[in-house]
Amino acid sequence: ASYVFKRCSGLYISLIGISGNQINKKIAANYLSASEKFYQSAFSLDFKKNMGSEDYVANLVTNQITSISKIYRKRMDNNYLLEWQSLGNDKVIKGDIKICGKIFKMSK
């Protein structure tokens, strides 16, 4: 179950990364807030599995989210090269944006 939260956290980090100064600060803050909330959920679930100390689990979750974020970023960069748009017609990324957005709204 924690994978979904890690994936959503990585997605939002990637969206902030590709957007740079192109999005307003409020949207960037919302993306960051969502990413942090997903991180906290993933950490909580993994820590409850007795996977190790808090520091170990925090580092593990952070590294996994970073890896996922890099995968999204690579897809976005490839989309940009092919279509001049980071999201392009990428059904995976667009679908994940919808799913993660719904999960985030339900968590408020």
Side-chain angles (χ1 to χ4, degrees), residues 5 72 76 78 87 90:
F5 297 121
Y72 276 117
M76 291 175 188
N78 287 337
L87 302 182
D90 194 317

Side-chain angles (χ1 to χ4, degrees), residues 51-68:
M51 296 174 66
S53 69
E54 283 187 27
D55 287 342
Y56 175 80
V57 174
N59 286 330
L60 179 67
V61 171
T62 299
N63 290 338
Q64 290 169 335
I65 290 170
T66 300
S67 295
I68 291 167

Side-chain angles (χ1 to χ4, degrees), residues 43-97:
F43 171 82
S44 178
L45 288 170
D46 284 355
F47 187 69
K48 287 179 184 175
K49 293 180 193 172
N50 295 319
M51 296 174 66
S53 69
E54 283 187 27
D55 287 342
Y56 175 80
V57 174
N59 286 330
L60 179 67
V61 171
T62 299
N63 290 338
Q64 290 169 335
I65 290 170
T66 300
S67 295
I68 291 167
S69 178
K70 288 178 182 179
I71 292 168
Y72 276 117
R73 181 60 190 251
K74 186 174 181 177
R75 285 184 78 105
M76 291 175 188
D77 289 345
N78 287 337
N79 290 339
Y80 187 80
L81 290 173
L82 295 171
E83 303 176 41
W84 292 89
Q85 295 178 5
S86 296
L87 302 182
N89 291 311
D90 194 317
K91 292 180 183 179
V92 172
I93 293 174
K94 288 184 174 185
D96 287 356
I97 290 170

Side-chain angles (χ1 to χ4, degrees), residues 2 4-10 12 33-43 61 65 99-101 103-105 107:
S2 67
V4 172
F5 297 121
K6 293 171 190 172
R7 188 164 171 161
C8 289
S9 182
Y12 282 110
S33 174
S35 178
E36 290 171 353
K37 180 125 179 130
F38 287 127
Y39 166 85
Q40 291 168 353
S41 297
F43 171 82
V61 171
I65 290 170
I99 291 168
C100 293
I103 294 169
F104 184 66
K105 285 180 185 175
S107 69

